[in-house]
Every structure is written in structure tokens, then in C-alpha cells.
Amino acid sequence: MASIKNLKKDINNVLGGIIEGVDIVEAANGTATYSKEGLAIIDEVFVTFDELIAKINKNDVENKKAHFKEVRNDLETKATKLVEDLNNLA
């Protein structure tokens, strides 16, 4: 299904952008390594990625359209929180 493929791409792009944001903030702060807060954000990105991909790959779903809409909403909610954490890092 093309929608699953696009949803996976969206997850990769959004969460990858957040990791890039952490890289940019850390570089702007002039640190050679990640701060504790930056690492916490990156760890949360990986946890979020694993959770969302596991939800997408779940097979015992009755209404696939509603299920994928829920996954997309989860992505939006979790990405918004991660971006807020990223903004607080700066």
C-alpha cells in the first residue's frame, strides 16, 4: 500500500529532522559532544520511531484506515513534544 510507504517516509523525515535539529543546536552551542539533554531527545526519537513502526506493522487491525490515521496522529503529537524539547534545548 502506498499510504503505508508514505507514512513510513513521513516518520523517517520528521524524526530525522528532529535529530538534525539537535545536531544544529549542539553545534551552535559550540560543544564537541552531545549534552545530556540532547542525548535524551535523541533517545526519545529512537523510542518513538520504534513504537510507531511497530504500530504500522501490526497485522491484527480491523479498520486499517482508522489505524493508520491514529498512527499519523501519534506521530504529530510526539513530534510536537520533541520539537518543544528541542526548542528548550536552545
Side-chain angles (χ1 to χ4, degrees):
M1 289 176 72
S3 63
I4 296 173
K5 184 177 179 181
N6 289 336
L7 183 56
K8 287 182 179 181
K9 282 183 181 181
D10 289 344
I11 291 170
N12 279 327
N13 291 336
V14 169
L15 297 179
I18 293 171
I19 291 175
E20 285 180 33
V22 172
D23 287 339
I24 291 169
V25 169
E26 295 290 351
N29 289 339
T31 58
T33 60
Y34 290 114
S35 64
K36 186 170 53 171
E37 296 84 7
L39 284 175
I41 294 171
I42 292 173
D43 288 342
E44 187 61 30
V45 166
F46 287 124
V47 169
T48 300
F49 177 83
D50 291 341
E51 289 174 357
L52 293 174
I53 294 298
K55 283 183 181 181
I56 288 174
N57 293 331
K58 192 173 181 182
N59 288 328
D60 58 344
V61 177
E62 290 183 24
N63 186 347
K64 289 187 182 254
K65 185 175 182 179
H67 176 70
F68 292 132
K69 187 173 184 176
E70 178 185 334
V71 172
R72 188 170 294 279
N73 289 337
D74 286 349
L75 171 62
E76 183 178 335
T77 303
K78 292 179 181 187
T80 301
K81 191 211 177 291
L82 288 167
V83 168
E84 288 173 2
D85 292 344
L86 177 62
N87 289 336
N88 292 333
L89 182 63

